[in-house]
Amino acid sequence: MQVPIYSAANLNAELDFASSAYLAKTVTVTTADAANVQSASNEANTGGGNAGGDTTGGGGTAFGEASTGGGGGGGNTGGVVLTLPKVFQWFARDFGSGTAYEGAAVAMGYLSGKDKVTLRACLADGSRPDLSIVYAKFSFACSRLAELKMEV
């Protein structure tokens, strides 16, 4: 992955473009049965690194004080699994009051196509029974600087 070099004249557009590109590569929206949901939750939880686990939501904070729909970030009996980048957990309060659902709503704004439609449907239901939110492991690999090539 390359780190873009931004220009002052187009900073806002370039940041939006970079955010969209990053989230397109790192956010996954999958439909799954209970076994797949549990598997996705277990894989994300092995990444460690915070005080409270990797699954969140249900009105709690992004530090595992509550679990996603159905209980435990994989306890639903089907539905949608949203995998967000680990930085969404670390900086949850930058997306609102710190709930995983607020981070999901921010991510949705940068998604497109089927993923956006699926996530919008899950977030529209206030109880969100069919949405589990997990966090991907973070990669500490270094990135190269490169000129940002935007298509306008």
Side-chain angles (χ1 to χ4, degrees):
M1 179 176 238
Q2 295 182 336
V3 176
I5 300 170
Y6 300 102
S7 67
N10 298 316
L11 184 59
N12 286 335
E14 290 170 345
L15 289 172
D16 282 341
F17 179 80
S19 296
S20 294
Y22 174 71
L23 293 176
K25 291 180 183 179
T26 59
V27 173
T28 59
V29 179
T30 55
T31 56
D33 58 31
N36 289 338
V37 173
Q38 188 61 45
S39 173
S41 178
N42 288 343
E43 287 174 17
N45 282 331
T46 61
N50 75 1
D54 287 331
T55 58
T56 67
T61 71
F63 299 102
E65 293 176 19
S67 60
T68 54
N76 61 6
T77 57
V80 176
V81 177
L82 171 65
T83 304
L84 293 173
K86 192 72 167 172
V87 295
F88 270 63
Q89 184 177 26
W90 291 339
F91 300 101
R93 295 209 186 273
D94 289 347
F95 305 112
S97 65
T99 69
Y101 295 117
E102 289 171 320
V106 169
M108 181 185 69
Y110 289 96
L111 298 178
S112 61
K114 180 182 168 196
D115 287 348
K116 186 171 194 161
V117 171
T118 301
L119 190 53
R120 181 180 289 136
C122 288
L123 292 173
D125 176 12
S127 65
R128 302 170 183 97
D130 294 330
L131 179 62
S132 293
I133 300 172
V134 295
Y135 295 95
K137 293 179 184 179
F138 185 79
S139 170
F140 289 93
C142 293
S143 299
R144 297 179 323 168
L145 287 176
E147 183 178 352
L148 182 65
K149 297 188 187 323
M150 285 182 26
E151 297 171 15
V152 267

